[in-house]
Amino acid sequence: CKQDGMPISRFVFVSRITKAAKRADLGRVTPHDLRHTCASLLIAANTPIQIVSRQLRHRNISMTWDVYGHLYPQDLNQVADTMEAIFG
């Protein structure tokens, strides 16, 4: 945002990202890269997929799952333990 609270232009935003990435020696970084990073960090913090989907403004959760589902832990042992506790 600008000092007056108004959003900056896409050009200014991309220019700032490019300069910051260069200073950090990260190579080329795009707004889409930042979007993926945001989603990945939310998932790593155990954020429910519904919230991640809403943050990314996906049309539906299945779109989010198709792109990021592989990042969710697939611990089937935990599922088995939960079912065992329920039905013991």
Side-chain angles (χ1 to χ4, degrees):
C1 288
K2 299 179 195 175
Q3 287 182 343
D4 63 4
M6 297 300 292
I8 59 175
S9 71
R10 180 175 172 81
F11 174 79
V12 171
F13 180 68
V14 171
S15 175
R16 288 180 182 176
I17 291 170
T18 302
K19 288 176 185 175
K22 187 174 183 177
R23 282 193 306 269
D25 198 26
L26 296 175
R28 185 172 182 265
V29 176
T30 67
H32 202 75
D33 295 331
L34 296 177
R35 179 180 172 85
H36 283 299
T37 300
C38 174
S40 300
L41 291 172
L42 289 171
I43 292 166
N46 296 316
T47 305
I49 194 164
Q50 298 90 333
I51 305 300
V52 176
S53 184
R54 195 176 322 151
Q55 176 67 30
L56 297 175
R57 297 184 181 208
H58 283 164
R59 182 173 296 163
N60 52 52
I61 292 172
S62 64
M63 180 178 183
T64 310
W65 186 256
D66 287 347
V67 177
Y68 299 103
H70 69 282
L71 297 177
Y72 282 88
Q74 302 297 321
D75 189 351
L76 295 179
N77 290 328
Q78 181 180 358
V79 172
D81 292 343
T82 301
M83 295 303 285
E84 179 67 28
I86 292 170
F87 298 109

